[in-house]
Amino acid sequence: MFTQKIFLKTIVLFFFIFLLQSNANQTQFKVSYDPDYAPFSYELNGKAEGLFVDFWRLWAEENHYNIKFINGVTWDNSINLAKEKKVDFFLGTNAYEDWMKSSKNYYELATSLFIHKENDKGFSKDASYIIGIIGSDYEELLKENFKNSEIIIYENYLEAFKDFSSRKIDLIYDDKVAIEYFALQNGYFHLIRSIKLFSNTFKISAISENENLVKLFDEGFKKLKPEDLASVESKWIIHNEQRIYEDIESLTQLTQEEKDFIKSKTFKISLSRSWEPFSFLSINKAGGISTEIWELIAKKLGLKYEFFVSNNFSEQLSSIKNKEKDLIFSVGETKDRKKYAIFTKSYKSFPLSIVTLKDENFIENMNYLFNKKIAVGENFTAHKILREKYPKLDFLLVKSIKEGLAAVDEKKAYAFVDIKPVLAYNIKKLNFDSLKITGNTGLSFDMSIMIRDDYQILQSILNKAILSLNENEVNSIIKRWENVQFEKNFDYKTLWVLLGLTSLFFIPLIYFNQQNLRKSKNLKILVNERTKELKILNEELEERIEEKTKELRRANYLLDEAQTIAKLGSFGYSIKKKELKWSNEHYKIFGLFVGEIKPSLATFFSFIHPDDKKRVKKEFLKSFRIKRKYSFEFKILLRDETIKYIQLTSKITKFSNEGKPLFVIGTILDLTKIKKLELEKREQDTLLAQQSKMAAMGEMLENIAHQWRQPLSVISTASTGMQLQLEINKKVDEKFLLDSINSINKQSQYLSKTIEDFRNFFNPNKLVQYFDIKDCIEKSLYLVDSRLKKYNIEVIKDMENIKVKTLESELVQILLNILNNAIDAIESNKISRPVICINTYKENDSLIIEIKDNAGGIPKNIINRILEPYFTTKHKSQGTGIGLYMSNEIITKHLKGKILVSNCTFLVDDSHYKGALFTLSLPIEAK
């Protein structure tokens, strides 16, 4: 069994060596880039240009590679090309998604917030803003820091700056140099001003889906000379203070101030007592990888220093925070540590690796560690990096490396994560023979020197020394510590006793064994031949199993991600075994942790809302009798009393020989947000319809008042005349009496008819019926007749006799809204000869109604918005902004037609006029 395991491990090793060799032989590469990211990457005359583009060209030239740059059109699409393996690399960003494999950092960018230059108000993270970003890589960062703000993602800088200049967004956040470069090139520089409310620095790396390609990039980039990189950078970055690279001579030369500083100081260094193999105390002497690299740096600079040993890492950090010590030379940079300390450039990068029991398979990526207990050193840099990248991991915090390895050995944790050299060294030293390094996290630990934050000059000094380090010398130190061998104490007395007892037992056996050796020689030859054959078959089988296992893991991962994004769960139910299985997203939709309960039909029905439980049981049983796909909707009630709306779709996929269903698969879709939006939309439409009706009622009451004035005046005159005759003559002339009564009666009937006409408008007939369009328009004109006369508006009609079948009352409401708006515009603009033209005609199977006025038209900047709810050009006291919106809603949803709004010029009696044109189009016969 042991020999077989060794054999399998050898095969796996050869397989990975083959993969690495195949990548190493690759010389043709496709690299995607964002064409709207000047000065870092952009397109000019069909060719890729920019700082990052030139870095890649330098890399290709130095390593004798050929590069084809692929225009990704947008930032997100350029990155997706790498994700989908359509290109080998994306040009450069920080790794912010799980799939991304990133190289070592080759550049650093500072980000900033920009506001309108004339905006002098104070800004706060707690306030509510609209912030624009280009691409989605900074989205989560801004949501975390500006919890009350809305983040809008743009595909390119041009669209973002258009909205910024028109004040649709308050702030823009992106790379400082990129924003300033675009603003300067496109005439926006006078509008922008950066503020210090929020900024950050981001490391730029080559991005690929293939980890071996990333390693290939790193190996090639090591060959680039700093002076060549500095030369490329100076071509694109004008200001020295914004540059990252400089030539070695200028970088490593100390200023007089720096020389004076180190001459006057003896530096206090906090040393870990036991962080093998990086820094530790052995026989009262400091040792380890970082210790030896520090000694190189100190020797170059002529530093004076003394060590102060700390019992644990938390104690070391406190000593820097409280400024009791000056520096720690073996630490990683994290967000929380930057609050009280500063860091040098990284002098070496190490992978974060995963240790498990030896019988575990190779771990391809971090997704395999979800839902498992992961040991990690409390407050160790590995802990900080993992917590920032994967906050939902189930951590077991330990105090030391030994405790972490022991937790895996004792099965208290599935894995332990730390820096690879630390793991390899301590597995050997502490004799954890049951453990192995199973894979890498895809994350790296950039080893830096941590300095108290008031020693910024020391940061500059140490950075210069780090840049001048000989890489071969550093690698030699690391290699020496990786090959350290440990002696194991052995009890020789026990060995001799065991050998004595064993010899007494085995001497008789040796004699008989010699006799059997001759007999088994031929059998051994035969067995060896068969073993070789089996090894070859086993090798082929292991390769196939490993390949299929990877494919299955990747497929399951992609399926889980897709279900999470779509809020779509899945299930499978064996009717015969009565076994139900749910996907991870199914648990989440039902408000449960994955695996929290064992699914069953009884469990499923316990979540059904009481109002739907009876119906769902019927639907569920019905789905078992139908061979095709079947869907239905229902509500569920979660444990916290939350109600969700669900759509269940199922299909029988397996039948018995007798045609009975055996297995059902299905999906559940969370419709809660959709249902809430539908409900809000219905409530909003109801409210708007009521507001529109009330606004129309106000206008109708004004019209009634206008139309009643003359009849009431006639009635008043007749009654006053009769009263005067009675007072003067003591009697009323019979003819005068009859004439007055007839007049009062006639005017009363007119008043009654007016009330009836208006009542018909407010109690509309909701039946679809045939009517003549001319009658409908005349009815509408009659309802606004008093307003037309008041402003001396001439109505010019060119109407055909066309019979239509639709909702007449709804059409009258639309016509009234348009006519009243036209009258308001004419009155507001004081038109000397006001005109409203109404034309009707038939076009194919549609009725066309055109209504135009000569009030001057609608301004271009608002013409596309006048059909929006609550948009009005009138004073707040005169308009609600819902009349035209409701007209559009009625004609599109009830009459199945449409409204078009435009400006037009037209001729009346040889006079030219300009005004608004409303064109109504609706089917002649509604279906």
Side-chain angles (χ1 to χ4, degrees):
M1 185 66 182
F2 178 75
T3 305
Q4 187 179 13
K5 282 187 176 180
I6 295 293
F7 176 71
L8 290 175
K9 286 179 181 178
T10 306
I11 294 300
V12 172
L13 179 62
F14 276 119
F15 176 70
F16 280 103
I17 290 172
F18 170 75
L19 286 178
L20 287 171
Q21 186 63 34
S22 65
N23 284 125
N25 293 333
Q26 186 176 349
T27 60
Q28 304 277 346
F29 300 96
K30 291 181 179 179
V31 181
S32 62
Y33 70 97
D34 178 3
D36 186 36
Y37 191 35
F40 304 110
S41 67
Y42 64 96
E43 187 173 70
L44 181 64
N45 299 325
K47 185 181 177 184
E49 297 290 353
L51 174 60
F52 293 171
V53 173
D54 281 354
F55 279 158
W56 277 85
R57 286 185 178 131
L58 185 63
W59 174 80
E61 182 182 345
E62 184 68 31
N63 293 278
H64 307 292
Y65 296 146
N66 291 318
I67 288 180
K68 183 178 180 181
F69 289 103
I70 305 298
N71 184 337
V73 182
T74 66
W75 176 270
D76 288 337
N77 188 59
S78 302
I79 290 174
N80 284 332
L81 290 175
K83 183 178 182 180
E84 294 163 5
K85 301 182 184 178
K86 293 179 180 177
V87 298
D88 300 297
F89 294 98
F90 172 65
L91 197 69
T93 185
N94 61 315
Y96 58 90
E97 291 186 8
D98 294 343
W99 67 268
M100 291 179 170
K101 307 296 187 299
S102 63
S103 71
K104 294 177 182 176
N105 308 324
Y106 72 78
Y107 205 69
E108 185 176 286
L109 290 177
T111 57
S112 182
L113 276 170
F114 286 83
I115 63 168
H116 293 270
K117 186 167 283 185
E118 63 271 20
N119 193 339
D120 57 357
K121 71 176 182 180
F123 284 83
S124 164
K125 287 185 180 181
D126 297 327
S128 176
Y129 307 116
I130 301 176
I131 306 175
I133 59 174
I134 293 81
S136 58
D137 47 345
Y138 297 140
E139 182 181 10
E140 294 303 321
L141 178 69
L142 288 178
K143 283 182 177 178
E144 180 184 341
N145 286 277
F146 294 86
K147 293 185 170 61
N148 300 318
S149 293
E150 179 185 355
I151 312 300
I152 297 179
I153 300 172
Y154 293 93
E155 289 189 349
N156 55 61
Y157 285 103
L158 183 60
E159 295 301 320
F161 268 89
K162 281 181 180 178
D163 283 358
F164 181 76
S165 61
S166 62
R167 302 300 185 98
K168 290 183 180 177
I169 59 176
D170 304 306
L171 301 146
I172 291 181
Y173 181 79
D174 204 79
D175 304 323
K176 190 173 188 293
V177 173
I179 288 181
E180 290 176 343
Y181 189 93
F182 180 87
L184 190 62
Q185 294 290 321
N186 293 274
Y188 290 107
F189 197 74
H190 66 286
L191 294 178
I192 64 171
R193 175 166 63 90
S194 65
I195 57 174
K196 296 181 179 179
L197 176 63
F198 181 71
S199 62
N200 215 326
T201 54
F202 284 90
K203 313 289 186 183
I204 300 300
S205 308
I207 299 296
S208 178
E209 197 275 338
N210 186 330
E211 192 166 355
N212 294 319
L213 286 176
V214 166
K215 291 177 181 176
L216 189 69
F217 177 86
D218 284 336
E219 289 300 318
F221 207 84
K222 287 179 184 177
K223 300 176 184 178
L224 305 188
K225 298 175 182 177
E227 54 265 33
D228 292 337
L229 292 167
S231 176
V232 169
E233 185 183 30
S234 64
K235 171 184 169 184
W236 295 99
I237 307 300
I238 299 171
H239 302 294
N240 290 332
E241 65 272 12
Q242 292 180 331
R243 293 178 189 166
I244 304 299
Y245 293 105
E246 294 182 60
D247 60 86
I248 288 294
E249 285 187 14
S250 64
L251 280 174
T252 56
Q253 277 188 346
L254 297 183
T255 65
Q256 188 59 46
E257 183 186 6
E258 290 170 339
K259 290 176 181 177
D260 293 341
F261 181 80
I262 60 177
K263 189 176 181 180
S264 64
K265 296 284 184 184
T266 298
F267 297 102
K268 298 176 181 178
I269 299 175
S270 177
L271 179 74
S272 173
R273 183 178 293 278
S274 57
W275 194 41
E276 297 94 338
F278 285 102
S279 63
F280 59 93
L281 195 67
S282 176
I283 318 176
N284 294 323
K285 183 180 178 183
I289 295 171
S290 293
T291 305
E292 291 190 23
I293 293 173
W294 165 254
E295 287 169 351
L296 285 178
I297 293 170
K299 186 177 179 182
K300 283 178 181 289
L301 296 171
L303 299 180
K304 294 173 289 183
Y305 60 90
E306 55 183 322
F307 290 123
F308 294 86
V309 180
S310 295
N311 293 316
N312 55 61
F313 189 52
S314 295
E315 187 179 308
Q316 282 188 280
L317 295 177
S318 295
S319 71
I320 298 295
K321 191 173 184 178
N322 300 326
K323 296 181 175 54
E324 297 164 355
K325 305 295 181 291
D326 299 324
L327 61 89
I328 306 171
F329 54 62
S330 53
V331 71
E333 178 181 325
T334 62
K335 286 182 181 178
D336 55 341
R337 293 172 192 166
K338 285 172 71 177
K339 294 175 182 176
Y340 57 85
I342 53 179
F343 294 82
T344 66
K345 295 177 180 295
S346 170
Y347 57 79
K348 195 65 182 174
S349 184
F350 300 92
L352 289 183
S353 297
I354 304 164
V355 165
T356 65
L357 293 170
K358 275 189 174 178
D359 57 0
E360 292 292 338
N361 293 325
F362 173 74
I363 294 176
E364 187 176 353
N365 55 50
M366 285 295 292
N367 296 318
Y368 193 70
L369 298 184
F370 292 152
N371 302 319
K372 292 180 172 64
K373 184 74 75 176
I374 308 302
V376 66
E378 185 176 9
N379 285 327
F380 286 20
T381 304
H383 177 209
K384 303 280 186 182
I385 294 171
L386 286 172
R387 190 173 60 193
E388 288 175 11
K389 187 72 175 175
Y390 303 105
K392 294 184 180 179
L393 279 177
D394 186 7
F395 292 117
L396 172 65
L397 301 181
V398 297
K399 299 293 184 184
S400 66
I401 301 296
K402 183 177 180 180
E403 187 183 341
L405 294 171
V408 179
D409 187 50
E410 296 165 8
K411 297 184 180 180
K412 294 178 182 177
Y414 174 77
F416 177 56
V417 176
D418 209 290
I419 309 168
K420 188 175 182 179
V422 172
L423 298 174
Y425 183 94
N426 283 281
I427 287 173
K428 288 180 185 177
K429 180 184 177 183
L430 301 173
N431 298 325
F432 281 103
D433 298 329
S434 63
L435 305 183
K436 68 173 182 179
I437 295 177
T438 313
N440 291 324
T441 63
L443 304 173
S444 61
F445 182 110
D446 293 328
M447 193 71 77
S448 305
I449 302 174
M450 183 183 192
I451 309 166
R452 52 191 281 184
D453 59 6
D454 58 341
Y455 274 13
Q456 292 189 351
I457 190 170
L458 181 58
Q459 181 189 41
S460 172
I461 294 166
L462 293 177
N463 277 337
K464 291 177 179 180
I466 288 168
L467 284 171
S468 67
L469 286 174
N470 184 301
E471 190 169 355
N472 291 331
E473 201 170 1
V474 172
N475 289 336
S476 174
I477 292 171
I478 295 168
K479 190 172 183 180
R480 188 166 65 252
W481 280 98
E482 285 178 344
N483 294 327
V484 169
Q485 300 296 323
F486 299 96
E487 293 184 1
K488 296 186 179 181
N489 296 324
F490 198 82
D491 188 349
Y492 288 99
K493 183 179 179 180
T494 303
L495 176 63
W496 286 114
V497 172
L498 288 172
L499 284 173
L501 293 172
T502 304
S503 61
L504 290 173
F505 178 74
F506 279 102
I507 286 172
L509 292 177
I510 291 171
Y511 173 78
F512 292 109
N513 184 56
Q514 290 295 322
Q515 298 296 320
N516 291 327
L517 278 176
R518 295 184 184 88
K519 296 178 182 178
S520 64
K521 188 174 182 180
N522 292 334
L523 180 62
K524 185 176 181 180
I525 293 170
L526 184 63
V527 169
N528 286 339
E529 289 175 354
R530 294 291 180 265
T531 301
K532 288 179 181 178
E533 292 174 4
L534 287 172
K535 283 182 178 179
I536 293 169
L537 288 172
N538 187 58
E539 179 182 345
E540 293 175 353
L541 182 60
E542 287 293 331
E543 286 181 357
R544 290 180 187 175
I545 290 171
E546 186 173 351
E547 184 180 344
K548 296 300 179 185
T549 301
K550 285 182 179 179
E551 290 177 1
L552 183 60
R553 284 178 181 170
R554 189 175 298 281
N556 285 336
Y557 168 72
L558 292 174
L559 179 60
D560 285 343
E561 286 296 300
Q563 289 195 358
T564 301
I565 293 168
K567 293 194 177 298
L568 182 74
S570 60
F571 64 87
Y573 180 64
S574 172
I575 298 173
K576 186 176 181 180
K577 296 180 181 178
K578 295 184 179 179
E579 288 181 356
L580 181 63
K581 292 186 177 180
W582 288 352
S583 70
N584 291 352
E585 189 61 23
H586 198 307
Y587 282 96
K588 294 175 185 175
I589 291 172
F590 275 57
L592 302 168
F593 297 109
V594 176
E596 183 177 348
I597 61 170
K598 184 178 181 181
S600 67
L601 281 184
T603 306
F604 171 80
F605 285 117
S606 70
F607 281 90
I608 307 300
H609 194 282
D611 295 346
D612 292 348
K613 194 163 287 189
K614 189 174 181 181
R615 177 177 62 83
V616 170
K617 285 184 178 179
K618 286 182 180 179
E619 297 278 13
F620 210 84
L621 292 172
K622 185 179 178 181
S623 69
F624 286 0
R625 299 193 296 271
I626 298 175
K627 294 184 178 181
R628 55 180 171 79
K629 183 173 69 175
Y630 188 75
S631 296
F632 57 95
E633 295 179 8
F634 55 94
K635 300 190 295 291
I636 61 173
L637 187 64
L638 305 188
R639 292 174 175 176
D640 61 358
E641 302 300 313
T642 301
I643 295 175
K644 285 189 176 182
Y645 293 83
I646 302 295
Q647 181 190 68
L648 185 146
T649 303
S650 64
K651 186 178 181 181
I652 302 169
T653 58
K654 191 175 180 181
F655 294 85
S656 67
N657 294 333
E658 295 78 26
K660 293 182 179 180
L662 295 177
F663 199 83
V664 180
I665 63 169
T667 61
I668 61 160
L669 178 62
D670 189 350
L671 299 174
T672 308
K673 285 189 177 179
I674 297 172
K675 291 291 184 181
K676 285 182 178 179
L677 288 173
E678 288 177 353
L679 179 61
E680 289 172 4
K681 184 69 169 60
R682 284 198 298 270
E683 291 174 351
Q684 185 186 36
D685 286 348
T686 302
L687 177 62
L688 289 173
Q690 181 63 23
Q691 289 176 331
S692 178
K693 208 68 172 176
M694 294 305 293
M697 184 181 291
E699 292 171 347
M700 291 304 102
L701 289 172
E702 182 183 350
N703 288 330
I704 290 171
H706 279 293
Q707 296 210 31
W708 275 21
R709 280 177 187 154
Q710 186 179 350
L712 289 173
S713 178
V714 172
I715 292 171
S716 176
T717 302
S719 60
T720 303
M722 288 189 291
Q723 184 180 1
L724 284 171
Q725 280 202 16
L726 190 61
E727 288 176 355
I728 296 169
N729 301 325
K730 303 301 181 181
K731 64 177 182 176
V732 179
D733 181 71
E734 185 177 351
K735 183 177 183 304
F736 179 81
L737 178 62
L738 289 173
D739 288 343
S740 297
I741 291 171
N742 286 335
S743 176
I744 290 171
N745 185 45
K746 182 180 178 181
Q747 297 303 324
S748 297
Q749 288 178 7
Y750 177 82
L751 294 175
S752 177
K753 183 178 182 301
T754 302
I755 289 294
E756 186 65 24
D757 289 339
F758 284 104
R759 188 180 68 81
N760 289 336
F761 170 71
F762 288 108
N763 294 283
N765 182 1
K766 291 291 184 180
L767 295 177
V768 175
Q769 59 187 6
Y770 283 103
F771 59 88
D772 193 312
I773 191 59
K774 286 178 68 175
D775 295 339
C776 178
I777 291 173
E778 292 293 352
K779 183 186 293 184
S780 303
L781 289 170
Y782 170 74
L783 293 172
V784 295
D785 183 62
S786 61
R787 296 195 72 201
L788 293 171
K789 288 177 179 177
K790 178 180 178 181
Y791 299 114
N792 298 314
I793 298 172
E794 179 184 356
V795 179
I796 300 173
K797 294 173 280 188
D798 181 10
M799 299 187 293
E800 297 179 13
N801 289 318
I802 302 171
K803 289 279 188 180
V804 293
K805 184 181 181 182
T806 188
L807 295 166
E808 183 180 10
S809 61
E810 305 279 24
L811 182 56
V812 169
Q813 185 175 348
I814 296 167
L815 293 171
L816 283 173
N817 277 325
I818 295 171
L819 289 169
N820 277 317
N821 273 283
I823 294 168
D824 290 341
I826 286 169
E827 187 273 331
S828 175
N829 292 318
K830 310 296 181 186
I831 305 301
S832 58
R833 185 198 169 184
V835 173
I836 294 177
C837 298
I838 304 175
N839 302 329
T840 64
Y841 57 91
K842 185 178 178 183
E843 189 176 86
N844 298 326
D845 293 327
S846 297
L847 167 67
I848 308 297
I849 303 172
E850 294 179 344
I851 303 173
K852 55 192 174 187
D853 59 60
N854 66 339
I858 303 166
K860 287 184 180 179
N861 63 329
I862 65 167
I863 195 167
N864 293 326
R865 298 191 59 200
I866 64 170
L867 296 180
E868 295 177 6
Y870 299 111
F871 183 83
T872 178
T873 59
K874 306 170 190 176
H875 190 272
K876 289 182 179 179
S877 62
Q878 295 176 315
T880 62
I882 58 174
L884 289 177
Y885 167 73
M886 286 308 302
S887 296
N888 188 47
E889 290 287 291
I890 291 168
I891 198 169
T892 54
K893 294 182 179 178
H894 297 181
L895 308 187
K896 308 303 178 187
K898 61 183 179 181
I899 297 179
L900 297 177
V901 186
S902 61
N903 289 322
C904 68
T905 57
F906 57 96
L907 198 65
V908 176
D909 297 337
D910 297 327
S911 296
H912 290 274
Y913 295 106
K914 181 182 178 182
L917 170 63
F918 285 80
T919 304
L920 312 184
S921 175
L922 57 151
I924 288 178
E925 187 162 340
K927 294 181 181 180

